[in-house]
Amino acid sequence: MSKHAEYNDLLAPGQVTETNAATYRAGCFCGAVEVEATGAPVFAGYCHCADCQAWSAAPVNAFSLWKSADVRVVKGASDIATYNKTENSYRKFCKLCGGHVMTEHPRMRLTDVYANLLRGYTHQPTLHVNYASKTLSVRDGLPKYADFPADLGGSGEKLPD
C-alpha cells in the first residue's frame, strides 16, 4: 500500500506517497448528481464485505478512498440522499435515479468515490479487504485481508490468493 502524506498515522512507516493533482468527476446514473475528487486516493482496492455486496448488487466493490476534504459535490447537492446502516458508512445516492455516487466514512476521515464511476481515473488497487466474506475468488497477486490490515484497525490476517 502507498500512503497519503496527510494520513501518515494510518499506515506503517517507510512507505512512499505520490501525489497527483488531477481532478476526476463521477456522477449518478441519470447525471443529476456529480462529485469531484482531487489529487490521489489514499487507498485503492477491492471490498468483499456483505454490505458492499448488497449495496452494489455485485460480488466485489472497487473502492478508491479519498481524503474527505478532497471530495466535493459539484452538481445536484439537493438531489443526494443518504443511507447509513451503521455509523461507519454513509452511502450517498441520487434521489432521482437511485444511482450510487459515494460513501463517506467519517471515522476514517475518508470518502469512497466508486472507482468505476470516476471518469479518466485509472484504478490501481493494492489490496482486497473483507476477503473472508468473499463470494468470488480473485487471483491477482494482491494481498487478501480477512477483514482489514492491522494498521487500519483490522486483524491484519491475510488469506491465500
Side-chain angles (χ1 to χ4, degrees):
M1 283 186 283
S2 63
K3 65 178 165 180
H4 191 283
E6 295 184 36
Y7 283 78
N8 290 337
D9 60 314
L10 293 180
L11 292 176
Q15 295 176 346
V16 180
T17 299
E18 291 184 28
T19 303
N20 176 1
T23 297
Y24 304 97
R25 281 198 174 207
C28 66
F29 194 59
C30 73
V33 174
E34 284 198 356
V35 298
E36 275 185 353
T38 302
V42 179
F43 303 102
Y46 300 106
C47 184
H48 298 265
C49 78
D51 284 348
C52 281
Q53 289 175 24
W55 181 253
S56 66
V60 63
N61 179 55
F63 66 82
S64 64
L65 291 170
W66 304 75
K67 189 173 99 174
S68 293
D70 291 343
V71 177
R72 66 185 188 100
V73 176
V74 294
K75 179 181 172 189
S78 64
D79 292 321
I80 296 175
T82 302
Y83 176 76
N84 64 303
K85 183 176 178 182
T86 72
E87 291 302 312
N88 297 324
S89 301
Y90 289 76
R91 299 173 189 275
K92 307 288 184 171
F93 60 96
C94 175
K95 292 179 192 175
L96 303 175
C97 68
H100 301 178
V101 181
M102 63 186 167
T103 298
E104 293 174 350
H105 299 287
R107 290 183 181 166
M108 291 192 297
R109 306 177 323 252
L110 300 170
T111 298
D112 178 7
V113 182
Y114 307 127
N116 297 5
L117 299 180
L118 287 162
R119 296 184 293 276
Y121 169 75
T122 301
H123 189 55
Q124 297 177 338
T126 59
L127 75 164
H128 290 258
V129 297
N130 298 302
Y131 203 68
S133 304
K134 72 175 172 41
T135 59
L136 172 74
S137 295
V138 180
R139 293 180 154 244
D140 59 5
L142 295 175
K144 314 289 193 290
Y145 289 91
D147 45 26
F148 290 98
D151 42 6
L152 289 177
S155 69
E157 177 189 355
K158 288 185 182 178
L159 299 175
D161 203 22

